[in-house]
Amino acid sequence: MKTEDQAWRDLQSHAAAQLRTGFADRTLRAALGPKDVTWGLLSAHGSRQLPVGFAEGVLRLARAAAEVPSLTSQFALSAATAAVCLAAVVLVQDRRAQLSDERNLADWERIVLVAQDAQDFDSI
């Protein structure tokens, strides 16, 4: 029977045999990332790929997109919002009034029927 230490050594040997050559080196390089010299070379290569004035153009477009809306557009949006809210209030109020009228008419119809029944009963 194998001891625990022997079993761990066998497992480690088997796992190591499954890995390709240079696995540990590639893993360490990926974890640490490129060195400063490499970053400098990548930056220089990338800057050669971009047209002159690219950064200024991007900043100009970003600033234009982030402009504050004009006072007129803010008032227009406020007026549109107020109009939508007012329309919603009017519609809800109209519907409530209509339901209240229907309820009142139904109550009056019952009262009329009761009064007619009482009048018919009195006439007998």
Side-chain angles (χ1 to χ4, degrees):
M1 189 150 136
K2 292 183 182 180
T3 64
E4 187 177 346
D5 289 338
Q6 181 61 36
W8 277 112
R9 279 194 297 276
D10 289 348
L11 181 62
Q12 185 178 17
S13 296
H14 177 71
Q18 302 300 315
L19 299 174
R20 288 183 276 166
T21 307
F23 173 79
D25 185 47
R26 287 192 312 275
T27 303
L28 283 174
R29 266 190 278 130
L32 296 176
K35 295 182 176 152
D36 291 339
V37 173
T38 307
W39 278 119
L41 291 172
L42 286 171
S43 178
H45 178 72
S47 64
R48 285 192 302 270
Q49 303 301 313
L50 298 174
V52 176
F54 177 78
E56 290 82 12
V58 169
L59 288 174
R60 196 175 328 104
L61 288 173
R63 287 183 184 128
E67 278 186 17
V68 177
S70 68
L71 193 58
T72 306
S73 66
Q74 288 180 1
F75 280 134
L77 179 61
S78 298
T81 303
V84 169
C85 290
L86 181 62
V89 166
V90 167
L91 288 175
V92 168
Q93 180 59 30
D94 183 56
R95 180 68 181 144
R96 280 186 168 179
Q98 185 180 11
L99 289 174
S100 178
D101 289 346
E102 289 173 4
R103 224 177 303 120
N104 290 338
L105 284 174
D107 289 343
W108 278 109
E109 285 176 2
R110 278 188 295 239
I111 291 171
V112 168
L113 286 175
V114 168
Q116 284 176 351
D117 284 344
Q119 197 176 34
D120 290 343
F121 185 70
D122 287 341
S123 64
I124 295 180

